[in-house]
Amino acid sequence: MKIITPRNNKDFYDYLTGIYGIDEKVVFDRRVFNVLKSSDSPLFSTIKRPEDREKVYWEYAFDEVENKHFDRPVGSFIYSLLEAGNHWYIFRTERYLDDYGKVHIDWCFIKKIVVDKKMHSGDTPLTLYPNLGIYGWRSDTPIFIKKHDLKNGIANPIIKDTPITSFVKADDVYQGIYAYISSLNDIDYTDNRNDIQKLESAGFDKKTSFRNIK
């Protein structure tokens, strides 16, 4: 894959072009980018905000629908999704204040989902959705993501120097981007030939090939 980006804004997976080689037919244009570590997003900025609260705690609750007990968080989490081609990485981030009023941001990796190319939502191969609505957050239930939540993403994010690199592999992100861009070059082919034309292309003669078949 060929990555077009300013020299001073390399990402943590860029070195893999030196291992896999540069494929001129697969080009990742990252000249327009967003550096996450200097973002003012609550996922990365430790500047105190009016809405910041104390650490989330868990309580033992009962689900009347499923008729069983479970632990649930009391407080708020931020769910985010990194879309690298057809690879979705879901994270849960807890932002809270300690006893001295200092902001802490704890990241947790939830799961990875490989989706169909048609489900790719971003305008760029790599996109971070920083505030995702998650339905079914418990470990024993499926995770549902609503399409309308996949909006206002951060296009072409520079991931290095962020907690994300602790949870995703550079090779995995690189391959996700590479496979997606490669798939955009695929041409859907429709065979409009009739049956006789298909047989003739396979070496059959329509006048003689079936003459002796009874």
Side-chain angles (χ1 to χ4, degrees):
M1 178 168 64
K2 181 177 182 179
I3 302 176
I4 304 176
T5 189
R7 290 184 178 180
N8 60 339
N9 277 293
K10 299 293 185 180
D11 210 345
F12 83 120
Y13 53 83
D14 287 17
Y15 76 94
L16 290 167
T17 58
I19 296 176
Y20 292 113
I22 297 177
D23 186 344
E24 296 287 346
K25 296 181 180 179
V26 181
V27 180
F28 181 18
D29 188 345
R30 207 179 59 209
R31 285 175 291 184
V32 179
F33 56 88
N34 291 278
V35 181
L36 293 183
K37 71 173 183 178
S38 58
S39 167
D40 62 353
S41 166
L43 291 174
F44 305 102
S45 174
T46 56
I47 297 176
K48 189 174 180 180
R49 297 167 179 257
E51 64 271 19
D52 287 334
R53 296 292 183 268
E54 66 280 356
K55 186 175 175 62
V56 170
Y57 66 91
W58 296 76
E59 71 175 11
Y60 196 54
F62 182 75
D63 189 329
E64 294 182 355
V65 176
E66 298 187 7
N67 193 32
K68 61 182 178 180
H69 287 86
F70 66 96
D71 291 329
R72 70 179 178 190
V74 178
S76 61
F77 285 127
I78 302 172
Y79 288 91
S80 58
L81 184 150
L82 177 68
E83 182 180 59
N86 300 337
H87 295 177
W88 285 2
Y89 305 91
I90 303 172
F91 306 93
R92 183 181 67 210
T93 305
E94 182 182 1
R95 180 186 176 93
Y96 62 93
L97 301 176
D98 63 16
D99 295 338
Y100 302 97
K102 182 180 179 181
V103 175
H104 291 262
I105 304 175
D106 293 344
W107 282 69
C108 175
F109 176 70
I110 300 298
K111 69 184 304 183
K112 172 188 172 182
I113 304 174
V114 178
V115 300
D116 185 84
K117 180 178 72 172
K118 296 178 181 179
M119 293 182 66
H120 184 90
S121 297
D123 294 329
T124 53
L126 188 67
T127 306
L128 177 70
Y129 298 94
N131 194 5
L132 192 70
I134 289 288
Y135 310 88
W137 51 265
R138 285 160 43 194
S139 60
D140 58 345
T141 59
I143 289 180
F144 300 98
I145 300 171
K146 293 186 177 181
K147 186 70 174 180
H148 65 74
D149 287 331
L150 297 178
K151 296 180 180 179
N152 302 318
I154 299 174
N156 289 339
I158 301 298
I159 304 171
K160 68 177 181 179
D161 301 323
T162 72
I164 294 176
T165 59
S166 299
F167 301 105
V168 300
K169 297 179 179 179
D171 190 81
D172 206 27
V173 173
Y174 182 94
Q175 293 296 344
I177 295 172
Y178 180 87
Y180 174 72
I181 297 176
S182 297
S183 71
L184 298 180
N185 297 328
D186 294 342
I187 300 175
D188 294 331
Y189 172 71
T190 302
D191 192 342
N192 294 317
R193 296 173 300 172
N194 59 39
D195 291 340
I196 293 177
Q197 290 171 326
K198 291 178 182 179
L199 289 170
E200 288 178 335
S201 69
F204 290 94
D205 187 314
K206 67 178 182 179
K207 294 181 179 179
T208 62
S209 294
F210 301 100
R211 185 171 297 168
N212 296 322
I213 298 177
K214 296 182 180 179

